[in-house]
Amino acid sequence: MTASTTTARTATAAPAAGSARRRGTGDVYRLLPRPLQAVIIAILLCVALLPIVYVLLSSVNSDIGVASGEFFPSSFNLDNYVKVWSTVALGNGLMNSVIVAGGVAIVCAFLAVATAYVLVRFSFRGRLTFLRSLLGLQSIPGTLMLLPVFVLFSSASSALGIPIIGTRWSLFVTYLTFALPFSTWVMVTYLRGLPRELEEAARIDGASSWRILTRIVLPLSWPGVVVSGIFAFLLGWNDVLFASVMTNPDTRTAAVALQVFTVAQEGGALPLYGQMMAASLICAVPVVALYLVFQRYLVGGLTAGGVK
């Protein structure tokens, strides 16, 4: 009688223990109550969206209204989006930014894949030193490299007899130099997660290293390629320091063109705050569109080794 009672109690307690265990697991994942979670998320959204809303409202406000600190404009005016193209050569700046940053992104992404493939799949003298140097280069501030890069390009221009400073090529080489180490390290981390069995099977079938890279590794590495390319694109798109030194009025980028609004004045009174806000939103559109188009690749690329 005692044994049967114990067995019944054990059988009854087993589902309860499993239910408690499931509830405990759920409580672990939900560290905060739902109302508190909703409040925290709302606060974070307000912190993130408030500057964007302010820029949007200021772009349809007058310069006097923005200077006086108005958050909501007294009158909505879309003239800033029309005048911005004639006040500064913003269209030319956007074109230069797209050409330079887009070219850097494409070249950097594919060079990073090839370099990372060699570093991950082959063993040679100096391989670890090269990998460590990729991380070491990220600790060098870009401001320290401005004068050496300018002197180097100026000396090369004098030696070759061709103009370098003031051309798009100077920006292209500069951005590629700074973006390639980080992009290569991203691809090294990603390629380490790819299975070697696919490459070994292709090599048994007689495929060369170049064929393996282009037909197997590259298609499987698209998320990492997109991440490295977007990083290189943002580096060239957001840069102001090198672009302001190495460009002329014909080759200046959109980031440099935005600086003109801080010194341009209408009637000698106030800077063109409204047009500057409108131009900032216009320059942000290509980056937002880039993220929306490649959003599904970013998640897999940022989680190192998307294929297991």
Side-chain angles (χ1 to χ4, degrees), residues 6-247:
T6 304
T7 304
R9 290 177 178 176
T10 303
T12 305
S19 177
R21 190 178 299 111
R22 287 192 295 270
R23 288 197 300 271
T25 304
D27 293 337
V28 170
Y29 288 107
R30 189 190 305 164
L31 298 178
L32 298 175
R34 288 190 180 275
L36 185 57
Q37 283 183 353
V39 172
I40 293 177
I41 292 174
I43 293 175
L44 293 177
L45 285 176
C46 290
V47 172
L49 295 178
L50 187 61
I52 300 176
V53 173
Y54 176 74
V55 173
L56 179 61
L57 294 176
S58 299
S59 66
V60 294
N61 198 357
S62 62
D63 298 332
I64 298 177
V66 178
S68 61
E70 290 182 358
F71 187 82
F72 292 98
S74 56
S75 61
F76 292 87
N77 190 358
L78 297 177
D79 290 343
N80 292 326
Y81 288 93
V82 178
K83 295 179 181 179
V84 72
W85 304 101
S86 57
T87 303
V88 177
L90 185 61
N92 186 42
L94 287 172
M95 183 185 67
N96 291 329
S97 293
V98 170
I99 293 175
V100 175
V104 170
I106 295 174
V107 175
C108 184
F110 288 102
L111 284 180
V113 174
T115 306
Y117 178 73
V118 174
L119 293 173
V120 172
R121 293 295 189 252
F122 297 93
S123 298
F124 52 89
R125 186 184 299 273
R127 172 176 168 272
L128 293 178
T129 303
F130 187 83
L131 285 172
R132 294 186 183 117
S133 66
L134 293 178
L135 292 178
L137 289 174
Q138 302 303 312
S139 62
I140 301 176
T143 53
L144 296 180
M145 302 301 297
L146 179 60
L147 183 59
V149 170
F150 182 84
V151 173
L152 178 63
F153 285 167
S154 179
S155 301
S157 178
S158 300
L160 298 176
I162 57 175
I164 297 179
I165 303 296
T167 63
R168 298 192 188 103
W169 283 107
S170 61
L171 286 180
F172 177 84
V173 175
T174 302
Y175 296 155
L176 186 64
T177 303
F178 288 109
L180 190 57
F182 179 82
S183 298
T184 302
W185 185 258
V186 170
M187 292 309 305
V188 165
T189 307
Y190 190 87
L191 292 182
R192 282 174 176 172
L194 295 181
R196 292 177 177 265
E197 289 77 8
L198 296 175
E199 302 174 29
E200 293 174 355
R203 201 173 295 277
I204 292 175
D205 292 338
S208 62
S209 298
W210 174 254
R211 191 175 183 84
I212 292 174
L213 175 63
T214 55
R215 296 299 181 87
I216 297 177
V217 176
L218 187 58
L220 293 176
S221 305
W222 273 118
V225 172
V226 169
V227 170
S228 60
I230 288 179
F231 169 79
F233 181 86
L234 292 179
L235 178 67
W237 188 268
N238 297 327
D239 176 70
V240 179
L241 182 63
F242 287 91
S244 60
V245 174
M246 297 185 180
T247 57

